[in-house]
Amino acid sequence: MTPLVTAPHLDIDALLIDPSKRIIVCTGSGGVGKTTTAAALGVRAAELGRSVCVLTIDPARRLAQAMGLSSLDNTPRLVAGVGKTTELGTGSLHAMMLDMKRTFDEVVEAHADADRAAQILTNPFYQALSSSFAGTQEYMAMEKLGQLRSQADDEGLWDLIIVDTPPSRSALDFLDAPARLGSFLDGRFIRILTAPARGAGRGIGKLAAMGFGIFTGVLSKILGAQVLNDVGTFVAAIDSTFGGFRERAEVTYTLLQDQGTSFIVIAAPEPDALREASYFVERLRHDAMPLAGLVLNRVQPISATSLSSEQAMAAAERLRERDDVPDSRLTADLLDLHAQRMRTWTRQSHLAQRFTSAHPGVAIATVPALAEDVHDLAGLNEIGDLLAARDN
Amino acid sequence: MTSTPSADLNTGRPALWPGVELHVVSGKGGTGKTTVAAALALALARDGKRALLMEVEGRQGIAQLFDVPPLPYEERVVAVAPNGGEVWALAVDAEEALLDYLELFYNLRRAGSALRKMGAVDFVTTIAPGLRDVLLTGKACEVVRRSDKSAIDAYDAVIIDAPPTGRITRFLNVNAEVSGLAKMGPIRNHADLVMSVIASPRTAVHLVTLLEEMPVQETVDGIADLRANDLPVGGIFVNMIRPDIVSEPLNESVEAAAITAALSSVGITSSSINLGQVLIDEGNDHSRRTALQSRELLRIQETGLPVIELPFLTDGVDLGGLYELAQVMTDSGVR
């Protein structure tokens, strides 16, 4: 059978059994099957004898049920009935869903005394920030990843963490949002808001010409005085308890550059998803982050690439004129179907090949489109088999 | 420039969304929401009308679809609609929208660069919860409200290629979003103005889905969510429907040998694989898929909303494909 693309094969099992791998990050644009892939990798790694924790962000209900996650309680739960004992050890699977507000609250509670924590938790700006800012999810996913990693060292319940990334505007948000939020919280804007008295003398520089009063005046016009006040109070409270948000984000960022981490970029064989995957691959290279390869999901399954679309259509046409041949109508229909599938497969193959031309070294694993959705562990196992299969 | 619904005599079907000027297109990631938004713009612009297609997530997907250079923050023509008519496009950038807002309401555009240096623009457009969305939806509402003044640059329809279903209610419900942040003041007033367009009969939120379990579930949940927040739901665009090619049902009595024989009667043979069996397997896989499609289509129809069924384009979506989808929409009563 002809492979879809001539790229090197991404050997999923080799990656999963490599004991030096401690973190696998699944990323890609929305709707390409990131969460399902992360879950399937988790199940397979446990079956290969690894003790795994899967951190999912926003799983579909049925997928969550498949992993036995009925509630969103922000704590890893043991998934019953998964894992085998092999020479690698006793396999097990923990899974959890991220609750970003809860994670943020816990960070505050862990670092501030009770009074100050209460002050922060009830601040209107904090409440809006912790529950709705698009970047909070990315930031908290990173935070949680850091926590799970320390827990791995302390408690030893898992030695491999598989992370699903949030459904962002762009896959790059996962890398950028934490730094953005961190630099905002540590940044000049906040210094000015929180220290108007010293602000005139520090940090503003030539902008002093504009006049600090005018600056805050404009901001009040845009935001309203009450918002500015809330932001100021929030930052003052949070700053004195555990400053260095940017530092925290940088620590996790460094963790992602470690050789114990691998990124898997996930895409569907469509122009948008592959373009996004391309951006991400370039970014990972630029930031020296270890890329394992690309998983291409939902590929048109095809078994007889030797019968081309044109041949099949021509044969179907001839068969429709042959009343003397049994099953001629049905066979003609099946040939038309095959012709369509071949056309889709050929288009997908071109798209994948274009990606490979741009990134020749990137290994690829393909997973055929399944007729039905995943409902249970058996379904996740099946996807794991397909991911690890060599014949793409 | 609002046209009368009876002006279009192309189809006998009643117009699906009379009086709607703002069409918000959302859907789960990977369902083809940008494609549907673009085809919808073509359908709404036909017969000499003007439609504006807006992008709010900075992905430049519209430019790719229409095969034009990346869109600036400036309205420009990207396509000519069937039977005359123009599709314009605009990539809304939160930062530019903020400067627009400052100029429009406070005559403060020049303050922009100073604010940027202080990190304030960054704060408003990316950090402060909800403000980014108010700016983006605010721009759409500004364009829609041009028709109130019969402005020369008004459009018959504005189409937003919006964020996915998971974030759409939050994106549109700017009032609720900023209310936690600003109980009163200019932002709050602006949000109220935006809501007066979005939560009105001038707007319809459409969801794009595939006939698969996860997207359908997300669509059903999304509709409930939109309704619970009093946002006007328009219709459901069912994308990439696979045709029911195999006219005869494939039952177990079909023999691979018979298919192989029929194939060889027209000269198709293979020495290495059992072609008859391969084709039967493909037929069975297809039947499972179409059976699932029918089941999921029922769930979509149970919502009681208008359903527009769009075919799977075997050769992918190019400009020709967009016109094909636009024609299907026109035939379904989109105008």
Side-chain angles (χ1 to χ4, degrees), chain A residues 149-330:
Chain A
R149 179 56 196 271
S150 324
Q151 240 175 309
D153 295 338
D154 299 344
E155 299 166 20
L157 284 174
W158 47 81
D159 66 359
L160 171 65
I161 303 163
I162 299 180
V163 204
D164 166 29
T165 51
S168 315
R169 269 179 297 143
S170 128
L172 297 175
D173 274 4
F174 178 66
L175 295 177
D176 293 335
R180 203 188 306 143
L181 185 62
S183 72
F184 158 68
L185 290 171
D186 286 349
R188 184 161 66 163
F189 176 59
I190 284 300
R191 306 272 151 237
I192 292 165
L193 280 187
T194 51
R198 64 175 181 182
R202 271 183 50 179
I204 303 185
K206 56 191 165 192
L207 282 167
M210 182 185 166
F212 185 74
I214 297 176
F215 174 69
T216 44
V218 169
L219 278 181
S220 302
K221 270 200 174 143
I222 310 171
L223 298 168
Q226 170 235 333
V227 178
L228 280 189
N229 195 27
D230 287 343
V231 174
T233 322
F234 162 72
V235 174
I238 214 154
D239 201 33
S240 55
T241 47
F242 61 108
F245 264 90
R246 183 156 35 187
E247 214 171 284
R248 285 169 84 82
E250 273 164 14
V251 168
T252 320
Y253 208 82
T254 315
L255 187 63
L256 294 181
Q257 289 172 319
D258 190 272
Q259 283 306 311
T261 298
S262 273
F263 281 82
I264 292 183
V265 179
I266 299 159
E270 295 299 332
D272 287 354
L274 278 168
R275 195 163 49 238
E276 192 89 347
S278 243
Y279 286 142
F280 208 83
V281 165
E282 281 157 28
R283 173 63 185 274
L284 291 174
R285 178 172 298 147
H286 181 263
D287 285 16
M289 290 190 171
L291 170 70
L294 177 80
V295 166
L296 210 46
N297 266 332
R298 311 215 176 120
V299 171
Q300 171 69 59
I302 203 95
S303 328
T305 45
S306 54
L307 179 57
S308 77
S309 170
E310 291 75 16
Q311 283 174 311
M313 277 193 294
E317 213 166 300
R318 291 201 299 279
L319 261 178
R320 290 212 163 83
E321 289 155 12
R322 297 283 299 269
D323 295 336
D324 56 314
V325 176
D327 286 326
S328 61
R329 266 295 295 284
L330 175 63

Side-chain angles (χ1 to χ4, degrees), chain A residues 44-75:
Chain A
R44 189 164 187 91
E47 295 292 321
L48 292 167
R50 297 291 298 267
S51 45
V52 192
C53 182
V54 173
L55 167 60
T56 67
I57 309 296
D58 188 19
R61 208 177 307 156
R62 304 194 82 150
L63 181 63
Q65 283 165 358
M67 289 186 293
L69 294 172
S70 50
S71 65
L72 186 129
D73 64 355
N74 212 29
T75 313

Side-chain angles (χ1 to χ4, degrees), chain A residues 61-62 132-133 169 184 188-189 207 221-223 226 275 318 333 338 343 347 371 373 375, chain B residues 57 59 64 117-118 123 126 129 132 181 183 186-187 213-214 221 247 266 282 292 314-316:
Chain A
R61 208 177 307 156
R62 304 194 82 150
S132 75
F133 166 54
R169 269 179 297 143
F184 158 68
R188 184 161 66 163
F189 176 59
L207 282 167
K221 270 200 174 143
I222 310 171
L223 298 168
Q226 170 235 333
R275 195 163 49 238
R318 291 201 299 279
D333 285 350
H338 178 77
R343 271 159 71 194
R347 176 168 59 83
D373 283 354
H375 295 136
Chain B
E57 302 219 284
R59 307 172 70 120
Q64 304 270 356
K117 279 187 200 144
M118 309 284 275
F123 172 77
T126 68
R132 178 192 178 81
L181 197 64
K183 302 253 181 305
I187 285 289
E213 269 173 76
M214 270 203 266
D221 293 346
S247 51
V266 287
E282 289 187 350
L292 177 80
T314 309
D315 298 321

Side-chain angles (χ1 to χ4, degrees), chain A residues 46-122:
Chain A
E47 295 292 321
L48 292 167
R50 297 291 298 267
S51 45
V52 192
C53 182
V54 173
L55 167 60
T56 67
I57 309 296
D58 188 19
R61 208 177 307 156
R62 304 194 82 150
L63 181 63
Q65 283 165 358
M67 289 186 293
L69 294 172
S70 50
S71 65
L72 186 129
D73 64 355
N74 212 29
T75 313
R77 298 284 170 204
L78 186 67
V79 182
V82 183
K84 286 199 180 69
T85 301
T86 69
E87 63 275 17
L88 285 172
T90 306
S92 65
L93 176 66
H94 282 77
M96 70 163 286
M97 283 188 261
L98 178 77
D99 179 340
M100 66 169 176
K101 171 126 180 63
R102 184 102 133 236
T103 304
F104 211 150
D105 289 355
E106 283 166 8
V107 173
V108 170
E109 281 159 357
H111 290 84
D113 60 59
D115 283 353
R116 207 176 277 280
Q119 201 185 339
I120 295 170
L121 296 181
T122 53

Side-chain angles (χ1 to χ4, degrees), chain B residues 63-101:
Chain B
Q64 304 270 356
L65 268 179
F66 286 102
D67 201 13
V68 295
L71 297 171
Y73 185 68
E74 184 189 288
E75 293 153 44
R76 55 173 59 177
V77 178
V78 290
V80 174
N83 212 9
E86 289 169 342
V87 173
W88 292 61
L90 170 69
V92 190
D93 174 81
E95 195 170 316
E96 294 290 344
L98 172 64
L99 298 180
D100 258 13
Y101 168 81

Side-chain angles (χ1 to χ4, degrees), chain A residues 125 128 132-134 189 219 221-224 227-228 231, chain B residues 93-95 97-98 101 120-139 170-171 173-182 184 186-188 190-191 194:
Chain A
F125 180 75
S132 75
F133 166 54
F189 176 59
L219 278 181
K221 270 200 174 143
I222 310 171
L223 298 168
V227 178
L228 280 189
V231 174
Chain B
D93 174 81
E95 195 170 316
L98 172 64
Y101 168 81
V121 168
D122 218 26
F123 172 77
V124 172
T125 56
T126 68
I127 312 278
L131 296 190
R132 178 192 178 81
D133 293 346
V134 186
L135 289 167
L136 298 175
T137 49
K139 180 65 189 176
R170 179 169 282 165
F171 176 72
N173 209 4
V174 288
N175 230 341
E177 214 180 346
V178 301
S179 70
L181 197 64
M184 58 181 90
I187 285 289
R188 185 55 199 257
H190 189 58
V194 171

